[in-house]
């Protein structure tokens, strides 16, 4: 609502913009109250017999009584404690909750094998064991029937049988040609499950070079293969494949991604350093470089500050103990930290805010907002003031800001700046209307009064008199103005 | 419990009944008493198909959630695992089975894979040495789940990511399968239209599958006249915009899952009057949302600004109905009043709930932050200054607003500008990485691959042309008494729904130029019907179109289609199907790289 554009008014009134405004529909929502009252007045009448037959029964947790998820909790609970009231089930706390983020039956989710302790047997291991066939027992048949099932299906029939979940043996496809034929039929069937099964067989029986070469001309199969390698975390083979395909940027990103699973900060830093030589796009290279530089710095700052904090000699750490380590925090968070704890460090040091700003080319606005918030938090109002002060060539000081003063007020207010501080900045808001709104909100009476005086708006000033405290200095000031014969009021 | 599924133009209860029948058949296959061990994720979707009572009738005595360790004790003959085909679940099952064997017992084990069995999972069980312990391994094909009388969803969360990021078309295969099931129940759909690569792909698979079944003719009189397949990437803009319908806002703010929403409990606190309300509930309030609730059906698709009026109207009607009791003098009249009480009570509690929900939402929609955000969205959609760095976005980043909010806005700007100038693109990228962490370079890369974020190629920006031709921005959207679909976004008419609307009348030929600007091919196919199954249409009878959104659909789009169905002169009724019900936030989240890594 408060854009600083001067033509704001025209913009809303004349143009096609239809804001989602509630102002003129205010009575719409006062009707909510109406309906609420109605509901309340009826309640007493009917409260005796809640939950009639027609009303679906719902337990407090909101599950309809009798629904499956309710019953799971319920029957499980009754299993543990025999006599439980059926109406208020408690959800049993799971020891091992299953991730719910994926809905399940996709190619990728087929492979969500959990690595416990890192020794996850991949399919490479598992399929190269004695088992020679993909085994899918069929229903409604005794087990004996599919033992040693040998047959002579064509590639097409084999794929069809696999789709139907029947037993097949892939071992008989020996020649490269047969194997590729099988793959092509699987791809034609579009069944990811089957395609992947065939790919696993090919992976086991073909050399990498041949497999990669053949996949290159079979894009669908290739994608499934990449997906399969990703999900089984066969990182090394995947990187090899992408390199063979000349997908260098993907290789770089994939490798870079690995840093997320490195916990030790020094190892992570070294890993990031090794990423610098990867074939990223030029823009990305700069970001990766920054990432590395940042972590390197964080490690140094963290070590120094932890020691300083433990030593108990540095006042700021005593007064405002650090809540978390700075390691792996984003750049702007780091800048905030430096503005908070190291504001006056010499510009040559790693922890100096100005140094951080320069090294990472932080935009003026970002720097300003961050420094402002940090210094305001510490109630270092002189630092805040200094941020805005610039001298022109005549030596006069004036206040300048890369962001609107209304935002400045906002940030200061969020850091609980006192009214005396706030009003200095409210006064700098250009737009009179906006200035009054802000001043009223933050109780900067002087500004409101002065602005009305400047606008020669007697009516508003009269109105405002009712809002200030009786007998206060503000009230006297208003009285004086109202009685001042010199002012030519516009109303 | 599911009567609302049969009120619509197409009786979707048939689909539900078919699913229930299959479930019963499977349960009966395992003779004797049973316990079901649930993959917790499945209980939500299954709840839409069956209640516990159905399972109980088939001797299901206990139900547990799947977790590692030993199975809880239960004196039953059969243990049935209901699971998605995922490898880590197989490991847990194996653990369960192992610890069982050690403890004597002769219980039979079964697995029901939902929605498809997977050879790889069976392979995994074999490696773990437990495959032979299972008497039954079966699949329960649950592709399209009926959510409401006119709505089907596969709830396949990663479909968009898989199709457009990973180029994995498995979800499309399931879509085609689901559509074949649908045709088996509701007859062959004679006309298929589509727009987009995935749409083309699904249509091809359907036609091929039909050829494979060539032997058996489908003898059911077709219920659907037309199928329209739409790729989500034909319209990337719509889900990014904040939905402004009642249901859309509930989803944006609180998230609807499997037809339920969890709400902060405070506004629902007072249970009974007179009772001391000292202990406020701390558990969130869960509400079921579907058209079975009369009031909800009435207001769900309204613009939120029209909801207050609708609620107060309803309040008056209910109050008046309760006042009737004073007029009831004779025994007969009193009896009649009493007989209506249950219905009136339901209406009363429904009104109470939605009044509270509306209040919760209103607190948010009237906030300055919401207003500012919406203003910027509308600027982008109308093409104002989309080629410059936006100050509001800049401020939001400086305030460290949630990353997803930033990404939604930046993507929206990019889509409306057909990509950014390199300088603008680099600026946003740097600001985001500096503020939220460099690792998000992976997410930005994903968004770029999906086409949501891109540097401008030399080609010109088509969006203004598309906007004008399809009338995507309506200056005088009427929120109270809408006359156009643009009311669902208070001015913006969703592109996807405009395409649907134009297809019905006057036809896509009128917008060839625009269709060419949008990605992927557009096409039309016909499926032959056996003689005698051609519908003889009564005069004035509406046609029925099934619109399938590949990659997801938002509640506001659904509202817009319902609006079209209800328009008197539209002559068309729409049934909606999708891979996933989504909103901008869940959608972007599905494209992020390890969103969970954010917190660590």
């Amino acid at each position: 609502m408060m854009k600083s554009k001067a033509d704001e008014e025209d913009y809303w009134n004349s143009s096609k913009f239809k804001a989602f405004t509630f102002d003129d529909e205010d009575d719409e929502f006062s009707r909510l109250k109406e309906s609420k009252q109605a509901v309340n007045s009826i309640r007493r009448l009917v409260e005796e017999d809640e939950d009639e037959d027609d009303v679906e029964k719902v337990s407090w947790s909101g599950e309809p009584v009798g629904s499956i998820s309710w019953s799971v909790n319920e029957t499980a609970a009754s299993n543990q404690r025999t006599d439980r009231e059926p109406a208020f089930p408690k959800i049993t706390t799971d020891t091992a909750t299953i991730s719910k983020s994926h809905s399940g039956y996709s190619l990728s989710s087929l492979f969500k094998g959990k690595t416990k302790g890192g020794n996850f047997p991949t399919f490479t291991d598992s399929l190269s064991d004695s088992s020679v066939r993909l085994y899918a027992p069929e229903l409604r048949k005794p087990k004996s029937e599919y033992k040693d099932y040998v047959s002579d299906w064509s590639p097409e029939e084999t794929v069809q049988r696999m789709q139907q979940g029947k037993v097949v043996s892939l071992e008989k496809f020996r020649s490269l040609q047969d194997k590729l034929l099988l793959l092509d039929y699987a791809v034609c069937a579009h069944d990811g499950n089957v395609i992947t099964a065939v790919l696993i067989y090919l992976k086991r029986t073909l050399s990498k070079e041949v497999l990669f070469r053949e996949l290159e001309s079979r894009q669908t199969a290739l994608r499934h293969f990449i997906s399969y390698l990703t999900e089984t975390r066969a990182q090394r083979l995947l990187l090899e494949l992408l390199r063979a395909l000349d997908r260098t940027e993907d290789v770089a990103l994939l490798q870079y991604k690995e840093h997320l699973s490195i916990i030790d900060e020094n190892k992570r830093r070294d890993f990031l350093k090794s990423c610098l030589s990867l074939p990223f796009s030029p823009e990305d290279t700069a970001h990766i470089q920054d990432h590395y530089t940042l972590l390197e710095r964080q490690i140094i700052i963290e070590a120094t500050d932890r020691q300083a904090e433990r030593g108990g000699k540095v006042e700021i750490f005593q007064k405002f103990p650090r809540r978390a380590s700075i390691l792996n925090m984003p750049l702007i968070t780091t800048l905030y930290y430096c503005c908070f704890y190291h504001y006056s460090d010499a510009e040559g040091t790693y922890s100096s805010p100005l140094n951080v700003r320069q090294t990472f080319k932080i935009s003026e606005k970002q720097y300003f907002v961050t420094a402002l918030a940090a210094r305001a938090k510490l109630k270092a109002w002189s630092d805040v003031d200094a941020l805005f002060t610039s001298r022109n060539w005549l030596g006069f000081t004036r206040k300048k800001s890369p962001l609107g003063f209304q935002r400045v007020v906002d940030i200061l207010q969020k850091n609980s700046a006192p009214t005396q501080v706030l009003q200095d900045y409210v006064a700098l808001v250009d737009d009179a209307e906006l200035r009054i709104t802000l001043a009223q909100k933050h109780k900067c009476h002087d500004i409101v009064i002065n602005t009305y005086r400047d606008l020669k708006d007697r009516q508003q000033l009269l109105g405002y008199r009712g809002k200030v405290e009786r007998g206060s200095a503000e009230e006297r000031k208003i009285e004086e103005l109202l009685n001042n014969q010199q002012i030519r009021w516009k109303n | 419990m599911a009567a609302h599924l049969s009120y619509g133009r197409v009786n979707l209860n048939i689909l539900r009944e078919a699913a229930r029948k299959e479930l019963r058949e499977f349960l009966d296959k395992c003779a004797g008493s049973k316990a079901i061990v649930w993959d917790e994720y499945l209980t939500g979707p299954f709840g839409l198909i069956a209640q516990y009572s159905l399972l109980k009738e088939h001797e299901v005595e206990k139900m547990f959630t799947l977790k590692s360790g030993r199975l809880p004790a239960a004196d039953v003959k059969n243990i049935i695992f209901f699971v998605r085909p995922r490898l880590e679940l197989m490991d847990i099952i194996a653990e369960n089975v192992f610890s069982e064997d050690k403890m004597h017992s002769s219980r039979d084990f079964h697995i029901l894979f939902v929605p498809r069995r997977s050879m790889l999972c069976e392979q995994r069980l074999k490696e773990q040495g437990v495959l032979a312990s299972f008497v039954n391994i079966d699949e329960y094909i649950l592709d399209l789940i009926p959510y409401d009388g006119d709505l089907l969803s596969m709830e396949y969360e990663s479909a968009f990511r898989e199709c457009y990021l990973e180029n994995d078309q498995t979800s499309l295969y399931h879509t085609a399968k689901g559509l074949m099931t649908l045709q088996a129940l509701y007859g062959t759909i004679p006309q298929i239209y589509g727009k987009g690569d995935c749409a083309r792909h699904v249509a091809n698979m359907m036609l091929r599958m039909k050829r494979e079944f060539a032997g058996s003719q489908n003898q059911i009189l077709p219920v659907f006249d037309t199928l329209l397949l739409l790729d989500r990437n034909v319209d990337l803009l719509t889900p990014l915009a904040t939905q402004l319908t009642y249901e859309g806002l509930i989803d944006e703010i609180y998230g609807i899952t499997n037809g339920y929403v969890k709400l902060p409990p405070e506004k629902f606190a007072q249970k009974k009057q007179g009772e001391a309300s000292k202990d406020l509930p701390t558990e969130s309030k869960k509400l079921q949302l579907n058209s079975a609730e009369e009031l909800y059906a009435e207001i769900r698709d309204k613009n939120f600004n029209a909801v207050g009026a609708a609620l107060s109207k309803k309040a008056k009607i209910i109050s008046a109905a309760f006042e009737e009791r004073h007029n009831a003098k004779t025994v007969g009249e009193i009896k009649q009043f009493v007989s209506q009480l249950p219905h009136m009570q339901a209406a009363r509690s429904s009104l109470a709930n939605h009044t509270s929900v509306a209040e919760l939402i209103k607190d948010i929609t009237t906030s300055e932050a919401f207003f500012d955000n919406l203003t910027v969205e509308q600027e982008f959609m109308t093409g104002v200054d989309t080629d410059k760095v936006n100050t509001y976005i800049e401020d939001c980043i400086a305030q460290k607003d949630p990353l997803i909010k930033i990404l939604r806005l930046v993507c929206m700007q990019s889509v409306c500008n057909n990509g950014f100038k390199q300088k603008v693109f680099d600026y946003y990228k740097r600001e985001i990485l500096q503020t939220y962490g460099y690792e998000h370079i992976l997410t930005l890369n994903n968004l770029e691959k999906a086409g949501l974020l891109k540097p401008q190629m030399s080609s010109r920006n088509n969006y203004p042309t598309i906007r004008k031709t399809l009338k995507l921005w309506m200056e005088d959207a009427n929120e109270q008494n809408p006359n156009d679909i643009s009311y669902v976004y208070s001015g913006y008419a969703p592109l996807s729904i405009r395409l649907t609307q134009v297809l019905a009348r006057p036809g896509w030929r009128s917008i060839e130029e625009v269709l060419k600007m949008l990605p992927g091919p557009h096409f039309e196919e016909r499926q032959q019907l056996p003689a005698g199954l051609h519908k003889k249409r009564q005069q004035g009878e509406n046609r029925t179109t099934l619109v399938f959104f590949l990659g997801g659909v938002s509640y506001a789009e659904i509202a817009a289609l319902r609006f079209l169905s209800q328009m008197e002169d539209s002559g068309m009724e729409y049934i909606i199907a999708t891979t996933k019900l989504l909103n901008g936030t869940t959608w972007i989240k599905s494209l992020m790289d390890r969103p969970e890594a954010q917190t660590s």
Side-chain angles (χ1 to χ4, degrees):
Chain A
M1 225 184 289
M2 308 185 184
K3 294 246 240 159
S4 45
K5 280 191 215 156
D7 55 350
E8 183 73 351
E9 285 304 302
D10 299 340
Y11 174 81
W12 284 111
N13 296 331
S14 67
S15 85
K16 52 194 180 289
F17 284 86
K18 182 118 173 34
F20 190 67
T21 164
F22 288 90
D23 294 353
D24 25 31
E25 265 106 18
D26 235 356
D27 55 330
E28 286 304 328
F29 283 97
S30 61
R31 292 194 206 170
L32 278 182
K33 284 193 200 106
E34 255 177 67
S35 62
K36 200 165 185 179
Q37 277 162 3
V39 169
N40 286 335
S41 67
I42 305 162
R43 181 165 285 125
R44 204 171 323 148
L45 177 67
V46 289
E47 68 185 359
E48 294 84 46
D49 38 16
E50 300 243 297
D51 292 334
E52 275 293 316
D53 312 325
D54 287 22
V55 189
E56 191 182 18
K57 291 199 172 109
V58 176
S59 73
W60 171 245
S61 67
E63 301 280 358
V65 172
S67 80
I68 287 178
S69 45
W70 180 83
S71 313
V72 171
N73 295 331
E74 185 48 28
T75 55
S78 67
N79 198 54
Q80 290 158 354
R81 276 155 277 175
T82 35
D83 289 318
R84 270 190 66 102
E85 276 225 26
F88 299 96
K90 270 266 147 55
I91 289 147
T92 48
T93 41
D94 287 0
T95 43
T97 30
I98 302 140
S99 141
K100 291 170 217 162
S101 59
H102 286 264
S103 56
Y105 39 98
S106 64
L107 219 194
S108 46
S109 52
L110 286 177
F111 302 104
K112 288 270 150 63
K114 264 273 138 17
T115 45
K116 268 185 217 141
N119 54 351
F120 171 67
T122 63
F123 278 95
T124 339
D125 314 329
S126 54
L127 281 175
S128 55
D129 72 2
S130 60
S131 97
V132 284
R133 67 164 69 136
L134 287 163
Y135 212 22
E138 205 177 346
L139 257 172
R140 299 189 197 90
K141 275 187 192 166
K143 279 181 204 164
S144 58
E145 220 179 295
Y146 43 78
K147 225 186 279 170
D148 302 319
Y149 198 84
V150 186
S151 59
D152 200 23
W153 307 105
S154 72
E156 195 174 5
E157 287 162 330
T158 306
V159 167
Q160 270 174 21
R161 289 182 65 81
M162 284 167 90
Q163 270 184 288
Q164 293 153 8
K166 290 179 182 163
V167 188
V168 290
S169 158
L170 301 181
E171 293 300 310
K172 66 184 204 59
F173 298 98
R174 283 173 199 280
S175 71
L176 177 60
Q177 203 193 350
D178 280 354
K179 285 175 187 169
L180 292 175
L181 211 54
L182 183 67
L183 180 60
D184 290 340
Y185 275 113
V187 168
C188 282
H190 296 288
D191 187 334
N193 191 15
V194 175
I195 298 173
T196 310
V198 172
L199 283 169
I200 294 170
Y201 172 66
L202 296 195
K203 175 173 160 248
R204 185 161 60 79
T205 57
L206 291 176
S207 77
K208 265 185 295 201
E209 291 71 27
V210 176
L211 181 60
F212 290 178
R213 187 191 68 215
E214 295 301 336
L215 284 178
E216 205 172 347
S217 57
R218 290 172 174 78
Q219 285 299 311
T220 310
L222 175 65
R223 287 176 213 131
H224 281 266
F225 194 57
I226 290 174
S227 194
Y228 159 69
L229 293 180
T230 310
E231 295 303 334
T232 51
R233 310 198 180 166
Q235 186 86 351
R236 213 161 353 109
L237 190 60
L238 181 53
L239 286 171
E240 265 180 72
L241 172 65
L242 292 174
R243 267 193 214 103
L245 296 169
D246 222 24
R247 286 167 58 171
T248 51
E249 242 181 90
D250 289 342
V251 173
L253 285 168
L254 187 66
Q255 201 143 348
Y256 165 74
K257 188 176 172 178
E258 260 183 70
H259 84 266
L260 287 168
S261 48
I262 302 172
I263 292 156
D264 180 86
E265 67 264 18
N266 290 309
K267 281 188 191 142
R268 193 188 262 218
R269 176 198 58 207
D270 296 343
F271 182 84
L272 285 173
K273 191 173 186 184
S274 75
C275 287
L276 295 178
S277 57
L278 292 171
F280 290 104
S281 69
E283 313 88 74
D284 286 355
T285 308
H287 295 308
I288 308 297
Q289 170 76 53
D290 280 354
H291 191 177
Y292 162 70
T293 315
L294 177 64
L295 183 57
E296 192 185 28
R297 249 171 214 247
Q298 285 172 337
I299 291 172
I300 297 167
I301 296 173
E302 177 66 24
T304 323
D305 288 4
R306 197 186 297 145
Q307 216 172 15
E309 195 173 30
R310 283 210 194 114
K313 297 234 169 66
V314 185
E315 194 195 346
I316 184 124
F317 292 118
Q318 298 305 109
K319 256 169 97 182
F320 304 96
R322 305 185 313 148
R323 262 178 293 162
S325 125
I326 194 63
L327 294 173
N328 297 318
M329 292 294 166
L331 174 61
I332 296 299
T333 313
T334 311
L335 176 65
Y336 181 89
Y337 177 96
C338 291
C339 288
F340 196 92
Y341 290 109
H342 300 281
Y343 199 57
S344 47
D345 284 11
E347 216 179 310
T349 57
Y350 275 157
S351 49
S352 142
L354 288 172
N355 190 308
V356 172
R357 174 187 178 175
Q358 257 173 13
T359 311
F360 296 95
K361 301 188 189 67
I362 294 170
S363 70
E364 189 190 9
K365 217 169 171 177
Q366 277 273 29
Y367 178 78
F368 198 84
V369 171
T370 311
L372 181 62
R375 298 324 285 171
K377 183 97 197 164
L378 286 168
K379 313 220 175 303
W381 306 122
S382 59
D383 288 342
V384 169
D385 194 57
L387 271 170
F388 296 95
T389 311
S390 71
R391 250 168 239 284
N392 66 10
W393 55 278
L394 285 174
F396 295 115
T397 61
R398 60 192 187 97
K399 291 204 167 159
K400 225 175 71 179
S401 162
L403 72 163
F405 277 102
Q406 137 219 10
R407 284 267 294 128
V408 172
V409 172
D410 202 37
I411 293 168
L412 290 174
Q413 189 261 330
K414 271 186 195 142
N415 288 291
S416 42
T419 311
Q420 306 91 280
V421 174
L422 279 179
Q423 68 181 12
D424 284 353
Y425 298 93
V426 174
L428 291 167
V429 174
D430 268 340
D431 183 80
E433 197 88 359
L434 193 56
R435 188 161 68 236
I436 289 174
T437 319
L438 280 173
Q440 289 190 344
K441 195 165 138 198
H442 301 302
K443 303 221 162 24
C444 308
H445 300 303
D446 267 359
I447 296 174
V448 180
I449 295 165
N450 291 343
T451 310
Y452 284 143
R453 179 198 62 201
D454 296 346
L455 292 171
K456 310 209 184 309
D457 196 333
R458 188 183 163 89
Q459 292 309 315
Q460 292 282 8
L461 197 56
L462 267 171
Y464 199 68
R465 186 171 54 177
K467 289 183 192 157
V468 298
E469 230 173 284
R470 229 157 232 234
S472 64
E474 288 84 22
E475 196 188 26
R476 279 198 300 281
K477 185 171 173 185
I478 295 176
E479 293 292 342
E480 261 169 47
L481 285 172
L482 289 174
N483 295 329
N484 187 334
Q485 303 297 322
Q486 312 261 302
I487 303 172
R488 310 241 297 300
W489 299 105
K490 72 171 181 188
N491 51 21
Chain B
M1 285 299 211
H4 62 289
L5 296 179
S6 46
Y7 294 154
R9 166 78 181 216
V10 174
N11 184 356
L12 293 181
N13 216 9
I14 296 177
L15 184 64
R16 186 171 180 270
E17 278 309 322
R20 286 162 71 88
K21 181 163 162 274
E22 234 181 284
L23 184 59
R24 282 193 216 103
E25 280 171 8
F26 174 78
L27 290 172
D28 290 341
K29 226 182 268 174
C30 320
S33 58
K34 19 195 159 311
I36 295 179
V37 183
W38 287 94
D39 170 356
E40 214 180 346
Y41 181 89
L42 290 177
T43 56
F46 255 87
L48 296 160
I49 300 296
Q51 300 286 300
Y52 182 44
S53 56
L54 179 143
L55 304 175
K56 214 166 178 178
E57 280 163 28
H58 294 264
E59 297 179 85
V60 175
E61 290 175 4
K62 296 271 188 222
M63 306 219 278
F64 310 108
T65 38
L66 182 65
K67 47 187 149 187
S68 52
R70 195 197 295 162
L71 283 171
D75 186 20
V76 289
K77 179 148 186 313
N78 301 285
I79 302 276
I80 312 175
F81 294 93
F82 277 33
V83 289
R84 290 166 294 165
R86 298 178 56 170
L87 287 183
E88 80 267 26
L89 300 184
M90 298 307 111
D91 294 348
I92 299 175
I93 291 177
E95 216 178 314
N96 285 176
V97 173
F98 263 130
S99 45
E100 175 81 3
D101 275 346
K102 277 182 225 140
M103 307 169 18
H104 72 286
S105 118
S106 59
R107 304 194 281 192
D108 285 345
F109 289 106
H110 314 263
I111 293 188
L112 189 62
F113 282 117
V114 184
R116 288 280 188 286
R117 63 195 290 172
S118 130
M119 282 178 253
L120 296 161
C121 283
E122 289 166 37
Q123 183 71 33
R124 179 70 161 209
L125 291 172
K126 193 179 175 209
E127 289 157 26
Q128 301 268 19
V130 292
L131 188 64
S133 316
F134 291 95
V135 179
N136 268 325
I137 295 183
D138 211 338
E139 64 184 3
Y140 184 67
I141 301 171
L142 193 62
D143 282 327
L144 284 165
I145 306 161
Y147 271 70
D148 218 317
D150 57 357
L151 178 61
L152 300 161
S153 173
M154 296 166 71
E155 284 308 284
Y156 194 135
E157 202 154 27
S158 47
F160 184 85
R161 184 188 173 108
E162 287 172 18
C163 284
Y164 299 100
L165 212 59
E166 289 154 10
N167 279 310
D168 170 351
Q169 287 152 350
T170 308
S171 66
L172 302 181
Y173 174 74
H174 289 302
T175 304
K177 280 273 191 190
L179 281 165
M180 296 312 282
T181 310
L182 216 56
Q183 291 188 95
L185 292 170
Y186 298 98
T188 304
I189 307 175
Q191 257 183 324
I192 304 176
Y193 291 92
K195 170 71 188 167
D197 288 319
C198 293
R200 180 70 265 183
H201 201 69
V202 169
N204 286 349
M205 277 191 276
M206 285 173 68
L207 296 173
R208 209 177 50 89
M209 288 172 186
K210 184 164 184 271
R211 277 200 302 277
E212 279 165 17
F213 284 114
S216 56
Q217 288 273 21
N218 186 337
Q219 291 301 335
I220 297 169
L221 192 71
V223 174
F224 298 105
D225 299 284
T226 310
L227 165 66
L228 170 59
L229 296 160
L230 279 178
D231 273 33
R232 184 72 270 173
N233 86 330
V234 169
D235 173 14
L236 293 171
L237 173 57
T238 302
L240 293 170
T242 303
Q243 310 172 67
L244 297 178
T245 57
Y246 181 52
E247 189 168 45
L249 277 166
I250 295 177
D251 189 42
E252 294 275 347
I253 299 167
Y254 298 107
I256 302 174
T257 37
N258 295 309
Y260 285 90
V261 65
K262 278 186 185 162
L263 298 158
E266 299 82 33
K267 298 235 171 177
F268 302 90
Q270 76 286 54
K271 205 49 187 150
K272 291 198 175 162
Q273 272 186 355
E275 239 172 64
S277 58
K278 51 192 166 217
D279 35 21
L280 282 171
T282 47
E283 242 175 291
S284 45
K285 166 89 174 170
K286 215 170 161 191
L287 276 186
Q288 190 171 22
L289 302 172
N290 63 41
S291 60
E293 190 183 348
E294 192 187 319
L295 175 62
Y296 188 63
E298 221 171 280
I299 59 174
R300 68 197 302 185
D301 299 319
K302 284 189 189 300
N303 184 292
F304 187 62
N305 278 342
V307 167
L311 285 176
S312 86
K313 201 173 114 203
K314 194 76 178 180
K316 280 182 195 132
I317 294 171
I318 293 176
S319 298
F322 274 100
E323 284 312 306
E324 281 294 305
R325 73 183 187 280
H326 298 304
N327 302 332
K329 296 282 187 309
T330 70
V331 175
E333 281 167 351
I334 291 169
K335 212 170 163 185
Q336 208 208 338
F337 177 80
V338 169
S339 74
Q340 285 169 352
L341 257 180
H343 177 74
M344 286 158 68
Q345 280 167 36
R348 190 259 314 160
S349 82
S350 161
L351 179 65
N353 281 338
H354 288 292
T355 306
S356 301
V357 177
E359 279 181 333
L360 284 169
I361 292 176
K362 189 197 144 211
D363 287 347
I364 289 165
T365 54
T366 48
S367 70
E368 213 173 285
F370 186 87
F371 181 88
D372 291 348
N373 187 67
L374 202 62
T375 307
V376 173
E377 283 185 11
Q378 298 196 344
E379 281 178 19
F380 290 160
M381 289 191 282
T382 46
V384 176
D385 285 344
T386 48
D387 55 346
K388 301 190 187 78
V389 170
N390 181 283
T391 328
Y392 176 72
I393 298 181
E394 225 180 8
D395 287 349
C396 288
I397 295 176
Q399 284 174 55
K400 257 200 141 184
D401 280 353
L403 176 58
I404 292 191
K405 172 185 174 181
I406 308 294
L407 294 177
R408 257 179 99 157
L409 284 170
V410 175
C411 288
M412 190 175 202
Q413 189 182 352
S414 171
V415 170
C416 290
N417 201 53
N418 198 16
F420 288 123
K421 274 185 238 151
Q422 194 64 45
K423 234 177 80 188
V424 177
F425 192 37
D426 290 345
Y427 182 82
Y428 277 135
K429 226 171 152 174
R430 200 178 67 225
E431 291 281 298
I432 289 171
L433 296 179
Q434 288 187 343
T435 307
Y436 298 92
Y438 289 103
E439 65 274 18
H440 293 294
I441 205 168
L442 298 162
T443 293
L444 294 180
N445 241 279
N446 288 349
L447 295 174
E448 212 176 320
K449 269 190 203 152
L452 278 161
L453 211 56
K454 57 181 181 185
Q456 212 165 40
M457 300 304 159
S458 52
S459 66
R460 53 188 273 269
N461 180 7
N462 287 327
Y463 178 69
T465 317
I466 297 170
R467 184 182 70 231
K468 278 171 209 142
T469 315
L470 293 179
K471 298 197 181 68
L472 297 187
W473 187 262
M474 301 299 276
E475 310 207 352
D476 39 12
N478 187 338
E479 293 165 349
Q480 304 291 331
N481 298 299
N483 48 17
D484 180 74
I485 57 169
S486 55
Y487 85 92
V488 298
Y489 287 100
S490 293
Y492 168 70
L495 169 56
S496 55
I497 312 303
R498 271 287 192 260
L499 289 179
T500 312
Q501 195 181 7
V502 172
L503 178 67
R505 204 163 50 193
W508 275 359
R509 221 159 295 160
S510 63
I511 52 164
E512 282 282 338
E513 285 307 306
V514 165
L515 284 172
K516 275 184 204 146
M517 290 174 185
L518 298 167
H522 57 283
F523 60 88
E524 179 184 351
E525 298 283 352
R526 282 175 191 277
Q527 299 198 93
Q528 281 300 318
L529 295 178
L533 286 188
H534 291 282
K535 242 197 221 169
K536 287 166 202 76
R537 198 173 305 281
Q538 304 288 315
Q539 230 203 334
E541 190 191 332
N542 281 354
R543 299 167 63 82
T544 307
T545 295
L546 174 66
V547 189
F548 206 121
F549 294 86
L550 304 166
V553 70
S554 70
Y555 286 99
E557 287 172 295
I558 294 169
L561 278 178
R562 286 188 182 138
F563 172 78
L564 288 180
S565 290
Q566 282 156 15
M567 269 202 344
E568 263 172 48
D569 56 346
S570 81
M572 188 66 86
E573 291 227 24
Y574 294 98
I575 305 293
I576 304 126
T578 182
T579 50
K580 176 83 179 94
L581 295 163
L582 52 72
N583 61 48
T585 301
T586 55
W587 189 39
I588 295 284
K589 214 182 233 166
S590 78
L591 289 169
M592 288 177 79
D593 219 281
R594 305 217 338 195
E596 73 270 25
Q598 263 183 297
T599 46
S600 67

